[in-house]
Amino acid sequence: MGLPELLASGFGEAEAATLLLNTLWTLIGAVLVFFMQAGFAAVETGLTRAKNAGNIIMKNLMDYVIGSICFFLIGFAFMFGGSAGGILGVKGFFSPTSLADANGLFRGLPIHVFLIFHTVFCATAATIVSGAMAERTKFAAYLIYSAGISIFIYPITGNWVWGDGWLGALGYHDFAGSSAVHMVGGACALVGAAMLGARYGKYSREGKPRAIPGHNLPLTALGVFILWFCWFGFNCGSTTAVTTNLGDIAVTTNLAAAAAALVSLLISWVRYGKPDVPMTFNGVLAGLVAITAGCDVVGDYGALAIGAISGVVVVFALEFIDRVLKVDDPAGAITVHGVCGFLGTILTAVFAKNSALAEMGLSRIKFLAIQAVGVFAVLAYALLAALVLFFIIKETVGLRVPQNVEIDGLDLHEHGISAYANFRFQDDK
């Protein structure tokens, strides 16, 4: 409905104008978050080898395709169809529009606007796993995973945080999804990559990790810039309303990303003797992930602090996962999204402005306790659900391609194509 129709339906002029502006802004945010799929595809493709490029982009595409359908049919209902015992929704299955009121609104927005906004968030959580499990996962197995996270994992914890679930009632604060989106995706990535095992040749017989360089750093850089750009839609769009604090959220988002990038660059320069390019790229993303939970309640210097801390953590966590846990994560997704999502959710309480605490009616200690309870609960469910999901896939269709397929490249065997037809590359086996 346009303004005349809204007025004819009984809306006041100011109320109708506000609804139209909020609808437009939320849809713009949804479109920006959708374009993050292109950013993830570029980052992951650039950080992996040319022989698997087609497979990577297909997985990123199918995350959104399968996620859109599964979330529409079932996931949205689990997430927003009320909340049985504060755990999961029970209404709206196969008909999300049935949750709308007589004016077609749901939570103050047209139901389809609200639906598409959360659909793209669901797809973001799903696609995080692609980078961690790259270069050795069966395509069919990955499609099943995409459906599983879109139905049984992301919507359940999403209900706890943003639906009518128990964490929201407790006062848990995750404004745009450091835990609800990114940590959930990172936890699934950890379970999937660990169960899958490392790529052929990644570790020596003594267990020492070997670097397997990606084939296209300019493409990765483009992906990082796309993600940084789209993150303004991710965080600012999560107001789902045209509000005066949009600029505040944009600035905290930007400062955290910049601080994390600078700190990770400096640490890598000291540790490795040169400023590491992929590490700096991951620093940007680490800062963006970490600030997402509290971008609306921390100040500018709090955002700088959160970014700086995440810039330190991303370097050492990447090394720990690679060298100590020996989990092969080609894109660094476990650290960037899982570890920094966890970290950012906790740091929200540490750096929240006093005015924000007063508005929430919480002391800093109580807020910190709530954040800790919530983030551990979300993490535990995501890990357990992912473990069950990947175990079922492994025992049925299988998770990993045969060694000869991995050596030749998944593009050739899984898709019958080369992403770079008529180009010749050095042997990257």
Side-chain angles (χ1 to χ4, degrees):
M1 293 186 288
L3 184 59
E5 291 81 7
L6 288 172
L7 295 175
S9 298
F11 286 83
E13 289 187 5
E15 186 183 12
T18 299
L19 174 58
L20 291 174
L21 284 173
N22 292 347
T23 297
L24 178 61
W25 173 242
T26 304
L27 193 56
I28 290 172
V31 171
L32 286 171
V33 176
F34 165 72
F35 195 54
M36 290 176 78
Q37 296 293 323
F40 282 119
V43 168
E44 294 169 15
T45 302
L47 290 175
T48 51
R49 290 168 289 184
K51 62 186 180 182
N52 299 306
N55 179 261
I56 290 289
I57 58 177
M58 278 290 285
K59 286 175 180 174
N60 279 272
L61 173 67
M62 296 312 297
D63 273 324
Y64 188 73
V65 170
I66 292 176
S68 293
I69 296 171
C70 291
F71 191 71
F72 170 79
L73 293 174
I74 302 174
F76 187 82
F78 275 142
M79 191 163 174
F80 292 110
S83 192
I87 301 299
L88 77 168
V90 293
K91 300 179 294 183
F93 294 102
F94 305 102
S95 181
T97 55
S98 65
L99 298 175
D101 64 19
N103 292 312
L105 303 180
F106 182 78
R107 298 197 174 193
L109 289 170
I111 182 66
H112 279 133
V113 173
F114 191 87
L115 172 62
I116 193 63
F117 186 78
H118 282 280
T119 296
V120 295
F121 269 58
C122 178
T124 299
T127 205
I128 289 166
V129 178
S130 173
M133 298 178 67
E135 302 200 294
R136 72 266 201 209
T137 306
K138 285 184 177 180
F139 186 66
Y142 190 82
L143 299 184
I144 298 171
Y145 148 77
S146 290
I149 189 174
S150 302
I151 297 173
F152 300 114
I153 302 180
Y154 170 77
I156 304 302
T157 53
N159 179 274
W160 300 355
V161 178
W162 293 327
D164 298 313
W166 67 280
L167 282 180
L170 192 64
Y172 183 71
H173 189 89
D174 186 359
F175 182 69
S178 286
S179 65
V181 177
H182 296 281
M183 189 185 71
V184 166
C188 292
L190 173 61
V191 173
M195 192 174 293
L196 191 61
R199 289 169 291 174
Y200 175 73
K202 170 63 180 176
Y203 294 98
S204 68
R205 291 183 178 179
E206 295 75 29
K208 184 177 180 180
R210 299 188 180 106
I212 302 179
H215 80 284
N216 195 330
L217 282 180
L219 184 60
T220 298
L222 176 62
V224 170
F225 279 117
I226 289 172
L227 288 170
W228 197 336
F229 170 72
C230 292
W231 226 284
F232 294 113
F234 200 92
N235 286 358
C236 297
S238 290
T239 59
T240 63
V242 178
T243 58
T244 57
N245 69 334
L246 290 176
D248 301 337
I249 295 170
V251 169
T252 55
T253 298
N254 194 60
L255 287 175
L262 180 59
V263 169
S264 61
L265 179 147
L266 293 174
I267 291 176
S268 70
W269 205 334
V270 171
R271 288 183 65 79
Y272 311 141
K274 295 183 184 298
D276 189 89
V277 178
M279 188 67 76
T280 306
F281 290 161
N282 272 328
V284 173
L285 302 181
L288 290 167
V289 168
I291 195 61
T292 294
C295 57
D296 65 321
V297 296
V298 304
D300 297 345
Y301 286 96
L304 284 169
I306 290 173
I309 294 169
S310 62
V312 174
V313 169
V314 72
V315 176
F316 293 100
L318 278 167
E319 292 182 2
F320 179 80
I321 289 170
D322 189 42
R323 299 176 183 178
V324 179
L325 297 184
K326 292 182 170 49
V327 175
D328 183 13
D329 178 2
I334 299 168
T335 298
V336 168
H337 298 278
V339 174
C340 292
F342 179 96
L343 177 70
T345 306
I346 295 294
L347 292 179
T348 296
V350 176
F351 293 104
K353 294 181 291 186
N354 290 331
S355 58
L357 292 172
E359 186 176 340
M360 290 185 283
L362 298 172
S363 68
R364 194 172 302 276
I365 296 300
K366 185 174 182 180
F367 188 29
L368 182 60
I370 291 171
Q371 293 297 96
V373 168
V375 79
F376 276 108
V378 172
L379 178 62
Y381 176 80
L383 288 172
L384 179 61
L387 184 64
V388 172
L389 175 60
F390 282 120
F391 178 79
I392 292 172
I393 296 172
K394 184 177 181 179
E395 295 302 312
T396 52
V397 300
L399 271 177
R400 186 164 185 148
V401 298
Q403 189 178 97
N404 69 301
V405 174
E406 183 180 347
I407 291 173
D408 292 340
L410 275 67
D411 285 4
L412 177 63
H413 289 273
E414 291 270 75
H415 307 285
I417 53 94
S418 169
Y420 301 95
N422 303 319
F423 281 75
R424 295 181 63 86
F425 295 90
Q426 289 182 327
D427 184 7
D428 62 357
K429 295 177 184 180

